[in-house]
Amino acid sequence: MLDDRPLLQDHPRALRLSLILWALGGFLFVALAVPSLADMVQTVDDWVYELAVDLENDVVVAVAKALDLIGSTWVTAPIMVIVAVVLVVLRRWHGLAFWVLAMAVSQFLIGPMKLLYERERPPMPLVETTSFSFPSGHAVAGAAIAVSLVIVFVPSGPRRRNLEMLAAAFAVLMALSRVYLRAHWLSDAAAGAALGVAVAIGAAALIHIIDNLRNRA
């Protein structure tokens, strides 16, 4: 199962980081399910929403709308399929297992979780929205795909570290763009970005753990 390009240089450290991000995203999942905590979260969300309205700018809106397109299913779904096909062609079975796992879990965190929470969207969005609000699908998918692309295609080393930072910055930017466009509350976007990155890093660490167990058997 293991190919000649390990996904992670230090998978125990990656697993710890993934668990921290899962805890952060999980806290918001729990908080929105508890009425008293949900009210506190909504207070912060309302303040950030009003700030986004006050800071509306045509140029920034245009950039955010471009990110809206990039993070849409019309773009992300083909990327998921194309990368899987490329990994098959390259016979990167280790990377393929990671990619399929990361993409499958990230998609589960979008549709089913939205239906579970049925949270209403913010009023007066600047882009067309569908379904419910929590968590942000754009934030989850954007973060998971960006980080996973780096993990699966860039060997460990200084270049990967730089690209990992760039992928993390993209995840944050995608999340903030959803709030700026009033398509999501801040908590939707924060949970989505945290869990998207957590899924990518955690899936890579899990593949390493499974492979190590198989080698010891």
Side-chain angles (χ1 to χ4, degrees):
M1 181 179 177
L2 180 64
D3 58 30
D4 60 352
R5 181 181 295 176
L7 297 171
L8 299 170
Q9 190 172 23
D10 185 354
H11 70 269
R13 180 184 177 188
L15 181 60
R16 290 193 295 270
L17 176 58
S18 176
L19 292 175
I20 292 172
L21 292 171
W22 272 109
L24 174 60
F27 169 76
L28 290 171
F29 271 77
V30 172
L32 289 176
V34 178
S36 58
L37 293 176
D39 289 341
M40 296 172 59
V41 172
Q42 190 62 56
T43 298
V44 176
D45 284 340
D46 289 340
W47 179 80
V48 174
Y49 171 85
E50 293 172 2
L51 181 63
V53 173
D54 292 339
L55 296 177
E56 185 177 328
N57 174 275
D58 290 343
V59 175
V60 181
V61 168
V63 173
K65 285 185 175 180
L67 288 170
D68 175 67
L69 175 61
I70 292 170
S72 69
T73 304
W74 293 104
V75 175
T76 58
I79 290 175
M80 293 178 190
V81 174
I82 291 170
V83 170
V85 171
V86 169
L87 292 172
V88 170
V89 171
L90 295 176
R91 302 178 65 85
R92 295 274 315 280
W93 310 123
H94 193 227
L96 178 64
F98 155 69
W99 181 261
V100 171
L101 178 61
M103 295 305 103
V105 175
S106 66
Q107 289 305 298
F108 174 78
L109 289 174
I110 299 173
M113 291 298 102
K114 285 180 180 288
L115 293 176
L116 178 63
Y117 278 80
E118 295 187 346
R119 191 184 192 190
E120 294 298 322
R121 298 265 187 171
M124 299 185 298
L126 299 179
V127 289
E128 182 180 354
T129 59
T130 58
S131 185
F132 297 105
S133 190
F134 183 84
S136 165
H138 276 67
V140 172
I145 290 174
V147 175
S148 294
L149 283 172
V150 174
I151 290 174
V152 80
F153 285 121
V154 183
S156 298
R159 180 166 174 263
R160 174 190 270 196
R161 285 193 291 272
N162 293 335
L163 289 175
E164 284 172 343
M165 294 300 294
L166 186 61
F170 174 80
V172 172
L173 185 61
M174 176 64 78
L176 291 178
S177 74
R178 305 309 291 161
V179 181
Y180 189 80
L181 290 173
R182 309 199 285 270
H184 284 283
W185 304 106
L186 176 63
S187 53
D188 302 335
L195 292 179
V197 176
V199 165
I201 298 174
L206 181 60
I207 293 297
H208 271 279
I209 292 171
I210 293 174
D211 191 73
N212 287 342
L213 292 175
R214 286 166 59 90
N215 290 337
R216 292 174 185 174

